C-alpha cells in the first residue's frame, strides 16, 4: 500500500471548506492562506511523517498545481507530486513536455491526476463547452497522445478532439504514472485503456467493490492491469469519543448558508461521482455527526460544504487503521488522505495511524 496526503491550495483551517471554489465557504473556514511557506510546511510534514506523495486540486478557486508543485519540489527531497490537470485546457504534447521537464528536474517525482471536470458552469468559464461524455472522449485522445509522446518515436494522431503530426518528445524521460477518477461508464472505459491508477471517492465498501470488479474486467479486456486508489479524509483521535466529538465540532462550523450554496452547486453538476457523494448525506446536516455515519466509521458530513471527496474515516487510531485495511482487502493499493488542518493532521495520521496499518499488515 502507498499513502499520500493533500495540499490545501485553496487555503486551510480547522473547519471544512470547498477545495477548489469560493462558493459555499464560511468566513472562518480558511484562516490560513495558501502561501508558499505554509504549503511547504504541509509538504514537508507529509514527507517526514511517511507519506509517499501529495495530491493537488485543480479549479478556478485554487492555485495552479503545476506552479505550486514545481516550487515545493525544491524544498522537499523524496516527496512525489500528484499534479492535477484538466485535459483539453492544454495540448497533450505541451503537457508531455512539462511532465518530462518536471521529471528531469526532480529525479522522477511526478504523477499526473487527470480531472475531466464535472461542473459545466466552471468548464464554460474556462472556455470548455463539451458535454460529459464528449469530455471523456477528449480525455481518452489526450491520454493516448500523452502516452505515445514518451515512446521516443515520432507519430501522427488524428482524432475528433486532438490532431498532431510528427509528435513525440525528442529525449523522453520516464513517463509519469497517470491517475483518473470518475464513476461513469465513460470514465471506466478511459481508465481501462490509458490509466495506471483508478481513483474513487470514499463510498461505503459495499458500494465501491462492484465498481472495482467492473474496471478490472474492462482493463483485462484491453490487455492491461490497473491499480486502485481511494480518496478519504481522516478524523483520528486517541478514543472514538474524541474523534466523533471533533466531527460534531466540524459539523457545527458548517453554516446553513454555506450548505445551501454548496448543494445548489452540486445540483447543476453532471458528475456521476459527485451525485453519488451527495446521495450519501442528501444535503442535510441531520442530527449530529453520528446521524451521517453511512458505514462503520465512515462519515458523510464533509460533503455538505466540500465538493469531490466527501467522506471521512472517524474513530480511534485503531479503528481508522481497521477501515483502511478493509478497503485494502477490496483491492485498493493507494490511499490519498487528508484532515483539517492539513499541517497538524499530516503529523497525527502519519505518526498514529500509518504505523498501525503497517504493523497489522505484517502481523497478518
Amino acid at each position: 500500500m502507498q499513502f499520500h496526503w493533500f495540499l490545501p491550495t485553496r487555503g486551510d483551517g480547522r473547519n471544512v471548506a470547498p477545495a477548489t471554489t469560493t462558493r459555499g465557504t464560511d468566513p472562518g473556514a480558511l484562516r490560513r492562506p495558501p502561501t508558499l511557506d505554509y504549503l511547504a510546511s504541509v509538504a514537508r510534514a507529509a514527507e517526514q511523517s511517511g507519506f509517499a506523495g501529495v495530491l493537488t486540486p485543480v479549479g478556478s478557486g485554487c492555485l495552479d498545481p503545476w506552479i505550486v508543485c514545481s516550487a515545493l519540489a525544491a524544498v522537499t527531497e523524496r516527496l512525489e507530486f500528484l499534479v492535477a490537470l484538466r485535459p483539453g485546457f492544454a495540448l497533450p504534447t505541451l503537457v508531455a513536455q512539462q511532465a518530462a521537464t518536471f521529471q528531469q528536474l526532480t529525479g522522477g517525482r511526478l504523477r499526473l491526476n487527470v480531472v475531466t471536470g464535472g461542473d459545466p458552469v466552471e468548464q464554460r468559464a474556462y472556455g470548455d463547452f463539451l458535454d460529459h461524455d464528449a469530455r471523456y472522449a477528449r480525455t481518452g485522445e489526450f491520454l493516448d497522445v500523452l502516452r505515445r509522446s514518451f515512446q521516443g518515436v515520432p507519430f501522427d494522431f488524428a482524432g475528433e478532439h486532438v490532431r498532431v503530426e510528427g509528435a513525440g518528445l525528442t529525449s523522453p524521460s520516464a513517463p509519469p504514472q497517470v491517475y483518473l477518477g470518475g464513476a461513469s461508464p465513460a470514465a471506466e472505459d478511459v481508465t481501462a485503456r490509458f490509466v495506471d491508477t483508478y481513483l474513487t471517492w470514499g463510498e461505503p465498501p459495499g458500494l465501491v467493490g462492484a465498481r472495482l470488479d467492473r474496471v478490472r474486467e474492462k482493463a483485462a479486456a484491453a490487455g492491461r492491469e490497473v491499480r486502485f486508489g481511494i480518496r478519504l479524509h481522516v478524523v483520528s483521535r486517541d478514543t472514538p469519543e474524541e474523534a466523533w466529538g471533533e466531527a460534531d465540532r466540524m459539523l457545527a462550523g458548517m453554516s446553513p448558508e454555506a450548505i445551501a450554496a454548496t448543494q445548489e452547486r452540486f445540483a447543476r453538476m453532471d458528475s456521476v461521482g459527485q451525485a453519488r457523494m451527495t446521495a450519501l448525506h442528501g444535503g442535510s446536516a441531520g442530527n449530529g455527526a453520528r446521524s451521517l455515519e453511512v458505514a462503520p466509521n465512515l462519515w458523510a458530513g464533509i460533503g455538505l460544504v466540500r465538493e469531490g471527496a466527501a467522506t471521512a474515516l472517524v474513530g480511534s487510531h485503531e479503528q481508522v487503521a481497521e477501515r483502511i485495511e478493509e478497503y485494502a482487502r477490496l483491492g485498493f493499493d493507494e490511499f490519498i488522505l487528508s484532515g483539517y488542518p492539513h499541517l497538524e493532521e499530516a503529523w497525527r495520521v502519519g505518526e498514529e495511524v500509518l504505523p498501525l496499518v503497517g504493523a497489522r499488515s505484517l502481523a497478518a
Side-chain angles (χ1 to χ4, degrees):
M1 289 184 284
Q2 286 190 339
F3 292 92
H4 310 289
W5 196 244
F6 182 80
L7 279 177
T9 57
R10 168 82 178 85
D12 201 8
R14 295 181 65 215
N15 289 342
V16 184
T20 64
T21 182
T22 58
R23 185 165 186 171
T25 302
D26 283 307
L30 299 175
R31 297 186 177 181
R32 304 181 189 181
T35 64
L36 181 58
D37 283 346
Y38 182 71
L39 294 175
S41 296
V42 175
R44 284 191 290 259
E47 181 176 64
Q48 294 169 21
S49 58
F51 292 95
V54 285
L55 172 71
T56 53
V58 62
S60 58
C62 56
L63 301 180
D64 178 80
W66 278 110
I67 295 174
V68 169
C69 292
S70 297
L72 296 181
V75 298
T76 53
E77 297 179 359
R78 303 173 304 280
L79 195 68
E80 298 190 21
F81 295 90
L82 284 73
V83 175
L85 62 91
R86 295 275 176 90
F89 290 10
L91 294 172
T93 45
L94 173 61
V95 173
Q97 185 179 17
Q98 291 174 311
T101 302
F102 198 109
Q103 291 286 70
Q104 179 179 340
L105 296 182
T106 65
R109 291 197 280 149
L110 174 68
R111 307 184 189 201
L112 293 177
N113 177 37
V114 177
V115 181
T116 299
D119 184 344
V121 173
E122 184 185 44
Q123 295 292 121
R124 291 194 293 269
Y126 273 114
D128 180 20
F129 288 81
L130 296 183
D131 63 23
H132 177 279
D133 286 356
R135 292 199 300 271
Y136 274 104
R138 179 179 61 191
T139 296
E141 293 182 10
F142 178 98
L143 290 176
D144 195 348
V145 171
L146 179 71
R147 298 186 78 97
R148 293 191 194 192
S149 295
F150 282 88
Q151 294 177 354
V153 179
F155 68 94
D156 299 339
F157 183 93
E160 182 179 356
H161 304 280
V162 180
R163 179 180 177 182
V164 296
E165 295 180 358
L169 297 168
T170 56
S171 300
S173 61
Q177 296 289 298
V178 174
Y179 294 65
L180 182 142
S184 66
E188 295 173 358
D189 293 341
V190 170
T191 296
R193 296 173 59 204
F194 301 113
V195 173
D196 299 300
T197 300
Y198 177 64
L199 294 177
T200 74
W201 289 325
E203 293 182 285
L207 293 180
V208 76
R211 194 180 344 151
L212 268 59
D213 291 338
R214 193 164 56 245
V215 173
R216 284 192 194 96
E217 293 174 0
K218 290 184 176 182
R224 303 181 67 246
E225 291 185 359
V226 177
R227 288 171 59 87
F228 296 99
I230 189 167
R231 175 76 179 92
L232 290 158
H233 306 278
V234 176
V235 182
S236 185
R237 295 296 186 269
D238 291 339
T239 68
E241 293 76 18
E242 288 179 84
W244 284 106
E246 177 65 9
D248 277 322
R249 186 201 63 76
M250 295 167 71
L251 184 63
M254 304 177 193
S255 72
E257 293 77 15
I259 293 174
T262 302
Q263 300 310 307
E264 182 182 349
R265 181 190 177 212
F266 292 168
R268 78 190 187 202
M269 296 172 72
D270 60 8
S271 166
V272 175
Q274 184 63 68
R276 292 171 70 98
M277 287 284 98
T278 303
L280 293 178
H281 55 69
S284 171
N287 184 25
R290 292 302 289 257
S291 69
L292 295 175
E293 186 180 13
V294 295
N297 303 108
L298 187 66
W299 180 48
I302 298 286
L304 291 171
V305 295
R306 189 197 192 278
E307 75 281 38
T311 53
L313 297 178
V314 180
S316 67
H317 308 309
E318 292 79 8
Q319 287 175 328
V320 171
E322 288 172 4
R323 298 286 82 77
I324 288 173
E325 290 168 355
E326 182 179 3
Y327 281 111
R329 287 192 292 271
L330 289 176
F332 284 104
D333 309 288
E334 301 189 36
F335 294 80
I336 303 175
L337 308 176
S338 59
Y340 296 90
H342 291 77
L343 177 58
E344 290 89 330
E345 293 304 306
W347 286 113
R348 190 194 307 271
V349 176
E351 293 177 344
E352 302 290 352
V353 176
L354 298 195
L356 289 176
V357 176
R360 291 169 64 93
S361 298
L362 289 173

